[in-house]
């Protein structure tokens, strides 16, 4: 397993729409392991392939903080089937080190995807893990959590965002 290099805000790959995955082979299985490893080493609870420079439809989720005993997993070609309710909370992203913003998301999500063994899966999650599933799904669509911020909030952090874009990854710390 290997820790992959993270891509930060300003990298065009974060705005790419990720391509569907057609083959679930050994190469993809290794990439999935690396994605999980990178997420854990960087203390993230989710990590999308775009964030390590590959615009393909896979992301890692670490549910261990929420559901005891559940191991980190990947979702391949996920489709959001349904969302409901509302939750408010702080949200961050490994591509924006140190930036946390209050964000409203649905409380519950139903997602269908393929697992790393090639089997179709259907997951229903609430709370924090629902938030992660939706945040990471956005990455596959080239969408970032700062896109949800109010105009005013965006204006307030714009200077720092520009520095992050210019390569200062410590700007929010
Ligand atoms: Ni993110």
């Amino acid at each position: 397993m290997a820790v992959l290099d993270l891509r930060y805000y300003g990298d065009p790959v974060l705005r790419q729409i990720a391509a569907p995955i057609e083959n679930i082979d050994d190469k993809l299985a290794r990439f999935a392991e690396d994605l999980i490893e990178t997420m854990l080493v960087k203390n993230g609870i989710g990590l999308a392939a775009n964030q390590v420079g590959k615009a393909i439809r896979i992301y890692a989720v670490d549910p261990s903080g929420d559901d005891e005993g559940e191991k980190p997993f990947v979702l391949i070609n996920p489709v959001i089937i349904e969302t409901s309710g509302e939750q408010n909370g702080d949200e961050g992203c490994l591509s924006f080190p140190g930036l946390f913003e209050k964000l409203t998301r649905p409380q519950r999500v139903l997602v269908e995807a393929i697992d790393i063994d090639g089997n179709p899966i259907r997951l229903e999650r609430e709370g924090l893990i629902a938030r992660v599933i939706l945040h990471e799904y956005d990455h596959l669509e080239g969408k970032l959590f700062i896109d949800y911020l109010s105009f005013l909030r965006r204006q307030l952090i714009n200077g720092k965002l520009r520095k992050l874009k210019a390569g200062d990854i410590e700007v929010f710390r």
Side-chain angles (χ1 to χ4, degrees):
M1 284 195 280
V3 176
L4 307 168
D5 286 337
L6 289 176
R7 301 299 182 92
Y8 300 104
Y9 177 62
D11 192 312
V13 72
L14 295 177
R15 289 299 188 188
Q16 273 181 41
I17 295 180
I21 290 171
E22 282 164 19
N23 294 310
I24 298 170
D25 51 17
D26 288 354
K27 199 173 148 213
L28 185 74
R30 276 197 300 277
F31 177 70
E33 282 183 7
D34 291 347
L35 201 57
I36 288 172
E37 168 99 346
T38 305
M39 170 181 71
L40 297 175
V41 165
K42 303 291 181 182
N43 295 314
I45 51 176
L47 184 63
N50 302 51
Q51 295 179 275
V52 294
K54 271 186 192 280
I56 57 172
R57 299 187 88 81
I58 177 171
Y59 59 77
V61 176
D62 180 12
S64 60
D66 215 35
D67 298 306
E68 251 170 79
E70 201 182 358
K71 288 199 174 101
F73 57 86
V74 293
L75 297 179
I76 297 166
N77 297 340
V79 179
I80 305 295
I81 303 296
E82 204 179 280
T83 61
S84 61
E86 201 175 279
Q87 60 173 312
N88 296 297
D90 282 333
E91 195 164 311
C93 178
L94 289 176
S95 296
F96 296 77
L99 177 65
F100 294 91
E101 292 289 331
K102 290 231 176 306
L103 222 76
T104 302
R105 295 262 187 195
Q107 167 64 13
R108 180 189 144 269
V109 64
L110 178 64
V111 60
E112 288 183 355
I114 308 290
D115 72 11
I116 198 56
D117 300 314
N119 301 313
I121 49 170
R122 192 177 163 92
L123 293 177
E124 194 178 340
R125 290 292 182 276
E126 289 188 7
L128 181 62
I129 302 310
R131 178 182 289 279
V132 175
I133 286 170
L134 291 165
H135 173 115
E136 301 311 326
Y137 182 82
D138 281 348
H139 275 299
L140 305 185
E141 295 294 310
K143 187 163 185 173
L144 299 170
F145 80 128
I146 56 162
D147 300 346
Y148 292 98
L149 300 181
S150 69
F151 180 74
L152 184 63
R153 188 63 202 144
R154 185 75 182 251
Q155 290 299 105
L156 284 169
I157 62 168
N158 212 25
K160 284 187 174 180
L161 282 177
R162 230 179 288 132
K163 285 185 185 165
L164 177 56
K165 210 167 193 171
D168 180 4
I169 66 163
E170 296 295 320
V171 69
F172 285 106
R173 293 206 199 266

